[in-house]
Amino acid sequence: MMNYCYYLLVYILLAGASNFNAQEQENLNDKDFRLTSAVYSNHLSNGLNYYLKPIEGTTNISLNLWIRAGFNEEASDQQDISHAVEHLAFRSSLHFPEGIKNTQKLAGLGIEKNDATAGTAYHYTHYTIRIPSGNQEAIHAGLLWFKDILNGLLLTTEDINIERTTLRQEFLHRAGNDLSNRIVKSQIDAKRNSCKKSQEFFLEDNANFPPQVVRQFYKKWYRPDLAAVSVVGDIPNLEIIKKEIHQLFSDLPKPSTSIRKRNCAVLYYEQEPKFYKVERPSSELEEGLSQEVEIHLDYRDSLMYKEIQNVKGLKRRILFETISAILNKRFKEQQSIYCPKFNFWMKYKEHPFFLTSEISVTPSYEKLALERFFESVHQLKKYGITEKEWATVKNDRKTQNANHNRYWVEEIIKYDVYGEAFPDDKIEKLNEWWQHLSRSEFNSYLQELIREMPEDIGIIAHKNQKAFRLKEKELRSWIKQSWIREIDPYKPPKIPEHLMDDSYLDKSISNKKLVYSSTKMGTKELMLENGVKIIFLQDSSIANIKNPTITLHGFVPYGAANFPKEDYHSVINAPFIIENSGVGSFDKFQVNRYLSQSEDPINIHPYVNYSESGFTGYAKLHSFDDLLQMIYLYTTQPRKNKLAFEDWKETKRKEYSNPPYGLGNVDMKNKIKTIFKDSSFINMGTFQHQGLSNIDLNKTYNSYQKIFGNAEAFTFILYGNYSIETLLPDIQKYLGNLPNNMEEILKKRKISAPSLLIGGPLYKKLNLGYPMLSDNYELYFLSRKPEVFTWKKKLQLGVLGKILDQMLFLDLRYKKGYGIYSPHANTDYNISLSRFMTSLRIECEPFESTAIQDDIHKIIKHIQTGNISSDHFENAKANVRSINSSSLYKQEQRLFEYYRYLIPWISKTDIDRVISETTLKDIVALAKEVFKPKNQYEFWIPSNIPMNK
């Protein structure tokens, strides 16, 4: 009887949800549905919705199509079929038989290859194309593509099989070398929500789905009554856009039958509470590393299913997000110790709505971790938020920019897909409510929103760990006990009043008058009495505000190259170890507390590279004093702490077992650097992991002090829109007091290119010592060391690299039909080798590898013979101009290379001139010079190489 009532309730909720969806078209402009009057909306007789939002002052128009169908609409025996259709939208269609990406016409309309993108979500699939403002022909082309997506995709077996391979490559690319962890996370999602699927058999399903399944999905779900179009941005004439939409989409046939969608939200909210376990498989990379247990706690928020349709729901979401933010901050403070046994994290997730927490815990500490977690949650519910916390969260709430296309696109989609309220002045009204909300009112909300027992509990652990044998009754008993335990009010940690006693600084330095000189680069130079050189780069193009951001880059001409080879890891990791330790008498946690109390927190990091070291960071003008104070402390009082050192090493070991980057990519590049005799290794991946055991803490600190211990070796570049006179007192006070330790001075070492670099052509098979799931191929062209560096060659090589990048993507993926996901090519100047380097990288299926490599060489031949489209050429020039001339970062980077490596200076004007004067003939001549066999180096890692014995 209980099960009957349960399923009857689910049925009633499903029926109610279906009625809501059925009324959606009729009530499109109904006040209860809450669509802002700032957006024009309408619908066609076939059910297609459309939305228009003009925004003055934008430089482009965002065209969007979405289908209210995604992963949730796949059958139980299907996986990634909705994603396959999304990919196939870029293949052959009625009006774009060669695919939207492979159409030269679009390039002629100012639409670049990355302007058309798409994404598949659980509830919808979104297609977007960015159009230059004022280009009606481009708007027509974009909308015509949308029409093809709805009713004109050809879905040939050849196209489907190409994208089958591409989907596999995307899956493997995103997983990197952490495939097992990605699968485990998907298993957790599948356990908590029956509409989601485990990716355990993704590769098998991908290889075996019949093409007809894709066609059936497309036919069933791609229909006008499940679709919507939006046009957002600098719309020149609304009436023309309306007419265009009606003319293009009205003839799409109206479906003869309605369609019933599975309501995953209702199924999720009404399922009985769950307790589940997921086994974490062992990995070769994890051997010898401590394996943490994960405990997941989920609180379902079923009220939001209906309340999101009104302002009450919008406020409820803000409240939950604030609770998560407060608790995450308290969790962080609770875990602000070295070598913690557990870590907590909380987030409010949407569609379906639930508050989820993840506890990562060292085995055997599970009960203690739960006690500490619920102690923090209980504290917040019982005693509420403190006055200081309330003041912080009130100010921390970020508001979206309503003048940006992206805001309107996202809000319209949420309105159309989820029925989320979108009233007039949404941002302003929520901000007004938030600013008037009192602390006592917020604390009263906590009583309702914070519940004691989660509906769902999940565990991820190895099968042989005790945590895997825990029972649901036992865990829920621990949670109940945590709530009845007496707790004291929350006590914020003590914040240091200051980080340093500046009484011993020579204050008279700040009063001395200094004279600076102007340079050809448009900068001003200043030499302090201790030898520190200051370069002021003032940019008037940045808005003149009272509290501007100031970017800093300080450097010395010393690095790991100045020390014995056996000390490399001790030297190169020194800044990370010291940052983790702190400064003076304060550990990193106390330092962070002190700095975080400012309204304008600073960002500052010391670094050591192969051939230079220094500081990079930025701060608002009001916090500039803190920025320079930290530089002074990092330079003169680096803290030495053995426990902090062990904590850092353990963090790096965990990172290696679950890398947040492509481990195989990093390791391959370091292998290649070894072959090139390039000692500027990427300090990540296996290189760093294997070096952990070689780090000597004493050598780390000794080398750091030698590198940073002499003020006269420092040059600081300060970038921003500021007054020099405003900065000078703090500069003199802190940087002017940096000491010169003449006994520890390092000799400047000229970094020269290796003389024994193996000549090309070279083709070498590599082995990283662990399996690779895809073939990895990298091709390099190393130009001979130039007698004189010229910016003309660097910029023209940049254009050549961008042409190669475009042709790789379009020729290999769309013309040739290879199943590659993210090919990439680039050209740059390698300072360590003193050579220009053109490189490309491909990840692909083994059965396509040889053919792809052959076709890459054909593309290079095409470039050498001038078989380059004018669109590729002009797009490449525009890209290089934008990167080097318009980029503020690049201007600072050019200054750094000028002062550190004596690379000649070039102005923005000269960059524009060189690029404008560059002809296709210049690029072809350069290609013939660069792409010579003697400059060519190829490296290949086949998939599934056996492990080293």
Side-chain angles (χ1 to χ4, degrees), residues 217-229:
F217 185 93
Y218 176 68
K219 183 178 180 180
K220 180 177 182 179
W221 296 107
Y222 277 60
R223 40 192 280 167
D225 60 336
L226 289 179
V229 170

Side-chain angles (χ1 to χ4, degrees), residues 161-173:
N161 286 332
I162 289 171
E163 289 309 319
R164 179 199 307 278
T165 307
T166 307
L167 289 166
R168 171 186 161 88
Q169 278 300 306
E170 180 179 351
F171 176 77
L172 297 176
H173 176 82

Side-chain angles (χ1 to χ4, degrees), residues 18 55 66 71 99 133 168 199 211 360 440 479 485 578 588 671 682 697-698 700 724 869 901 911:
S18 298
I55 305 176
W66 58 93
F71 293 121
S133 296
R168 171 186 161 88
Q199 295 179 333
S360 299
S440 61
I479 294 172
R485 190 175 290 110
I578 284 163
K588 75 165 183 180
K671 280 268 189 182
I682 303 171
L697 189 58
N698 291 325
T700 291
I724 294 177
S869 76
Y901 295 104
I911 288 174

Side-chain angles (χ1 to χ4, degrees), residues 3 85-86 185 253 259 289 327 436 601 625 654 788 795 798 814:
N3 286 339
V85 175
E86 175 226 305
K185 294 295 185 185
I259 193 165
L289 303 177
L327 283 171
H436 285 89
D625 175 274
K654 291 177 182 178
V788 179
L795 293 170
Y814 288 99

Side-chain angles (χ1 to χ4, degrees), residues 434-627:
W434 179 249
Q435 292 306 319
H436 285 89
L437 186 69
S438 68
R439 183 168 71 97
S440 61
E441 288 173 324
F442 179 80
N443 285 338
S444 67
Y445 279 122
L446 298 178
Q447 305 309 309
E448 170 201 347
L449 299 179
I450 295 180
R451 291 178 284 131
E452 295 183 3
M453 184 63 68
E455 281 89 352
D456 308 317
I457 302 175
I459 294 175
I460 302 176
H462 287 287
K463 200 167 185 177
N464 60 355
Q465 290 177 326
K466 290 182 179 179
F468 202 78
R469 297 191 291 274
L470 286 171
K471 305 294 184 184
E472 178 180 11
K473 185 176 180 180
E474 186 176 9
L475 262 73
R476 293 195 184 275
S477 174
W478 291 351
I479 294 172
K480 287 178 182 178
Q481 292 172 18
S482 298
W483 280 98
I484 62 176
R485 190 175 290 110
E486 287 296 320
I487 55 165
D488 296 322
Y490 172 70
K491 292 182 180 179
K494 187 177 180 181
I495 299 175
E497 295 182 6
H498 52 76
L499 293 181
M500 61 176 284
D501 179 4
D502 63 2
S503 62
Y504 55 84
L505 294 177
D506 183 356
K507 305 263 190 339
S508 65
I509 293 177
S510 300
N511 300 322
K512 293 181 179 179
K513 186 172 180 61
L514 297 171
V515 179
Y516 43 80
S517 58
S518 298
T519 71
K520 65 180 179 181
M521 290 85 71
T523 62
K524 293 181 171 64
E525 290 185 3
L526 176 68
M527 182 76 77
L528 303 181
E529 285 191 346
N530 59 355
V532 172
K533 180 183 283 188
I534 311 293
I535 312 299
F536 297 102
L537 177 58
Q538 296 169 284
D539 193 333
S540 58
S541 66
I542 304 174
N544 189 9
I545 56 177
K546 291 183 179 179
N547 192 22
T549 298
I550 301 164
T551 302
L552 174 145
H553 186 180
F555 59 90
V556 293
Y558 315 127
N562 294 86
F563 294 86
K565 188 175 181 180
E566 60 269 21
D567 295 342
Y568 191 99
H569 290 282
S570 297
V571 179
I572 208 78
N573 288 296
F576 307 119
I577 295 167
I578 284 163
E579 269 197 282
N580 200 56
S581 300
V583 293
S585 59
F586 299 105
D587 62 33
K588 75 165 183 180
F589 308 112
Q590 294 167 306
V591 171
N592 290 339
R593 288 181 197 124
Y594 174 82
L595 295 175
S596 64
Q597 65 184 334
S598 169
E599 290 185 11
D600 302 311
I602 67 167
N603 181 293
I604 184 69
H605 300 286
Y607 73 91
V608 172
N609 287 340
Y610 181 65
S611 55
E612 109 259 349
S613 307
F615 296 96
T616 58
Y618 57 85
K620 292 287 189 180
L621 178 61
H622 296 166
S623 301
F624 188 65
D625 175 274
D626 286 338
L627 183 77

Side-chain angles (χ1 to χ4, degrees), residues 626-794:
D626 286 338
L627 183 77
L628 297 188
Q629 183 181 167
M630 285 303 301
I631 290 174
Y632 181 86
L633 289 170
Y634 273 135
T635 303
T636 61
Q637 300 178 40
R639 193 165 187 260
K640 190 174 183 180
N641 185 312
K642 183 68 181 299
L643 186 61
F645 175 50
E646 296 301 326
D647 173 83
W648 176 80
K649 287 196 294 183
E650 180 62 21
T651 300
K652 287 299 169 183
R653 291 187 185 107
K654 291 177 182 178
E655 181 184 280
Y656 183 69
S657 69
N658 183 15
Y661 51 83
L663 178 65
N665 185 3
V666 169
D667 284 356
M668 184 175 185
K669 290 189 183 303
N670 277 333
K671 280 268 189 182
I672 294 169
K673 282 177 177 286
T674 301
I675 295 167
F676 285 160
K677 301 184 185 298
D678 179 358
S679 298
S680 60
F681 297 105
I682 303 171
N683 189 29
M684 296 162 62
T686 301
F687 174 79
Q688 184 185 59
H689 178 70
Q690 292 178 344
L692 293 178
S693 59
N694 297 325
I695 299 175
D696 182 304
L697 189 58
N698 291 325
K699 288 182 177 181
T700 291
Y701 277 81
N702 289 338
S703 64
Y704 182 89
Q705 289 168 332
K706 286 181 179 180
I707 290 171
F708 290 90
N710 288 282
E712 65 178 13
F714 265 108
T715 299
F716 286 90
I717 300 172
L718 299 175
Y719 179 81
N721 188 1
Y722 53 77
S723 163
I724 294 177
E725 286 69 24
T726 304
L727 304 186
L728 275 179
D730 285 334
I731 289 173
Q732 291 174 279
K733 177 180 177 181
Y734 294 108
L735 302 186
N737 272 290
L738 292 178
N740 278 301
N741 185 356
M742 302 310 295
E743 294 181 2
E744 298 289 351
I745 194 165
L746 290 169
K747 292 181 180 180
K748 293 184 180 180
R749 178 176 171 182
K750 184 178 179 182
I751 309 301
S752 57
S755 57
L756 298 177
L757 184 67
I758 302 171
L762 173 70
Y763 189 94
K764 192 172 182 63
K765 179 179 174 181
L766 303 179
N767 185 345
L768 298 183
Y770 50 79
M772 299 288 282
L773 295 171
S774 298
D775 275 23
N776 283 246
Y777 171 76
E778 295 196 15
L779 170 62
Y780 292 78
F781 288 94
L782 266 64
S783 303
R784 300 297 94 183
K785 181 181 178 182
E787 293 183 11
V788 179
F789 177 96
T790 66
W791 269 97
K792 180 178 180 180
K793 185 168 185 178
K794 177 177 170 62

Side-chain angles (χ1 to χ4, degrees), residues 53 55 58-64 115 128-136 139 230-237 241 405:
K53 171 57 186 174
I55 305 176
T58 56
T59 58
N60 56 68
I61 296 173
S62 177
L63 302 183
N64 301 271
D115 286 338
T128 184
I129 185 165
R130 186 172 55 204
I131 302 293
S133 296
N135 193 330
Q136 190 61 38
I139 293 174
S230 75
V231 183
V232 176
D234 187 18
I235 302 173
N237 189 312
I241 301 297
N405 287 1

